[in-house]
């Protein structure tokens, strides 16, 4: 019955990574906005017990900036939950960004998880459901030379699924830049009334000298709905 120390560590890491209860402060802050975590959305979407997660132990590529313990605590899954589950009996690839992790931004390993799942969706002809909320590309990753080479095939990989499998995008809250690019590729977009969807977020707009805007002013549903 004894569990080896190294196995016990892996099991604990997995539990912490997959349990919203391990991050009570972040989850409470999220719920205070009236929104839910990625895991709560995935649990409601998929048939009971059907979701098989890929890359749960992934952390943000920021070991030059943060301790491993801090990364485990604050960057579970590198901000995205990916896997395959059953939705109404149909095997489906599911990607869900989590705004509680570095504002749902896209990091190096986050993109690798995305690419892996999209390749499987193409190979096995799986429909894709994407919970797209998030802030786009993340500038703070430090741990790979690929950071400087624009080695990010995610957008091409996702666009290549057009006409092959259905892609459903869902967004509540803020969805900017790279997250919005993926959302815009979807065949169907479902947005809640408070969603803001823009190819450039407030920081990018201000950095470009175009003025200061609140996130809610950038691509609100009142603009996006008439646009289709």
């Amino acid at each position: 019955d004894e569990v080896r120390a190294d196995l016990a560590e892996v099991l604990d890491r997995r539990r912490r990574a997959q349990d919203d209860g391990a991050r009570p402060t972040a989850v409470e802050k999220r719920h205070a906005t009236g929104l839910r975590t990625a895991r709560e959305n995935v649990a409601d979407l998929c048939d009971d017990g059907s979701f098989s997660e890929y890359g749960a132990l992934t952390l943000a590529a920021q070991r030059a900036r943060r301790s491993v313990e801090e990364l485990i605590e604050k960057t579970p899954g590198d901000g995205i939950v990916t896997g395959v589950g059953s939705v109404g009996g149909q095997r489906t690839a599911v990607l869900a960004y989590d705004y509680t992790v570095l504002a749902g931004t896209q990091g190096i390993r986050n993109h690798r998880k995305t690419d892996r799942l999209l390749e499987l969706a193409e190979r096995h002809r799986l429909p894709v459901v994407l919970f797209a909320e998030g802030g786009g590309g993340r500038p703070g990753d430090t741990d790979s030379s690929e950071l400087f080479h624009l080695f990010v095939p995610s957008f091409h990989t996702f666009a290549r699924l057009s006409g092959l499998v259905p892609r459903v995008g869902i967004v509540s809250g803020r969805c900017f830049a790279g997250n919005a690019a993926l959302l815009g590729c979807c065949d169907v977009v479902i947005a809640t009334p408070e969603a803001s969807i823009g190819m450039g977020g407030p920081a990018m707009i201000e950095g470009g000298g175009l003025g200061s805007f609140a996130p809610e002013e950038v691509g609100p549903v009142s603009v996006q709905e008439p646009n289709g």
Side-chain angles (χ1 to χ4, degrees):
D1 295 331
E2 182 180 353
V3 178
R4 295 198 323 261
D6 54 354
L7 176 58
E9 182 180 358
V10 170
L11 296 175
D12 182 61
R13 280 279 307 279
R14 180 179 294 171
R15 178 192 61 78
R16 293 172 64 183
Q18 297 180 314
D19 180 12
D20 279 342
R23 305 181 298 137
T25 301
V27 173
E28 288 170 11
K29 184 177 179 181
R30 178 68 171 170
H31 288 168
T33 67
L35 299 172
R36 304 194 299 179
T37 68
R39 293 190 178 280
E40 288 172 326
N41 285 329
V42 171
D44 267 2
L45 175 72
C46 295
D47 302 337
D48 287 348
S50 68
F51 185 68
S52 178
E53 185 170 358
Y54 288 49
L57 298 183
T58 307
L59 304 174
Q62 297 186 4
R63 293 184 184 226
R65 300 178 56 207
R66 305 169 186 256
S67 68
V68 172
E69 184 57 35
E70 183 181 4
L71 291 171
I72 292 171
E73 178 184 352
K74 295 184 178 180
T75 70
D78 198 18
I80 190 170
V81 176
T82 58
V84 176
S86 175
V87 179
Q90 168 67 54
R91 289 188 72 227
T92 302
V94 181
L95 305 97
Y97 288 96
D98 196 335
Y99 206 85
T100 67
V101 178
L102 303 177
T105 49
Q106 299 170 324
I108 294 171
R109 293 171 185 155
N110 177 308
H111 272 297
R112 287 181 175 174
K113 289 172 60 174
T114 297
D115 292 330
R116 172 63 173 158
L117 190 64
L118 294 179
E119 288 166 3
L120 291 173
E122 181 176 28
R123 184 187 310 166
H124 298 291
R125 302 296 195 269
L126 302 179
V128 177
V129 175
L130 167 71
F131 291 93
E133 180 192 11
R138 182 194 310 154
D141 284 2
T142 60
D143 302 353
S144 172
S145 61
E146 291 175 8
L147 179 68
F148 308 105
H149 294 163
L150 297 179
F151 184 72
V152 182
S154 305
F155 305 102
H156 174 259
T157 307
F158 196 47
R160 196 170 61 213
L161 296 178
S162 178
L164 185 68
V165 299
R167 299 161 301 167
V168 178
I170 304 168
V171 63
S172 59
R174 302 168 181 178
C175 182
F176 298 127
N179 294 62
L182 292 177
L183 181 72
C185 285
C186 290
D187 302 298
V188 176
V189 173
I190 302 170
T192 60
E194 79 286 349
S196 295
I197 306 166
M199 282 307 301
M204 185 180 295
I205 293 170
E206 185 170 1
L210 300 177
S212 299
F213 295 89
E216 292 71 26
E217 296 178 280
V218 182
V221 168
S222 61
V223 171
Q224 301 294 7
E225 186 177 9
N227 288 342

